[in-house]
Amino acid sequence: LEGLAAGVPFVQPRNSVFPELLAATGGGMLFETGDIASLTNALEAMLANPAQAREMGKRGRQAVLNQYSAPAAARELLRHLVTPG
């Protein structure tokens, strides 16, 4: 999340939390876990298209600011603590 907050797109394995993070942010690319060719292809694709990488970084940054920042966490906390009426 720190990298995304800085607008840096990621290349991560398709396991753990990374598929969910990609779905939530659109800020990177996944490679098949343990597959060096898949990692190489993902890195090459990222480097070969800097405009697309910048766009992923922008999407990721905006998603972090909207969903995972301190103000977003405070809004979510208040939403659960404050009940209508």
Side-chain angles (χ1 to χ4, degrees), residues 11 29 40-53:
V11 174
M29 298 175 73
T40 301
N41 291 337
L43 290 171
E44 286 177 347
M46 184 79 70
L47 293 171
N49 194 339
Q52 181 183 7

Side-chain angles (χ1 to χ4, degrees), residues 25-69:
T25 67
M29 298 175 73
L30 302 175
F31 67 91
E32 295 305 321
T33 305
D35 184 341
I36 298 299
S38 179
L39 171 59
T40 301
N41 291 337
L43 290 171
E44 286 177 347
M46 184 79 70
L47 293 171
N49 194 339
Q52 181 183 7
R54 278 191 299 278
E55 184 57 35
M56 286 182 210
K58 287 178 186 178
R59 277 195 312 265
R61 177 173 166 69
Q62 195 58 52
V64 168
L65 294 176
N66 291 341
Q67 300 172 41
Y68 303 107
S69 65

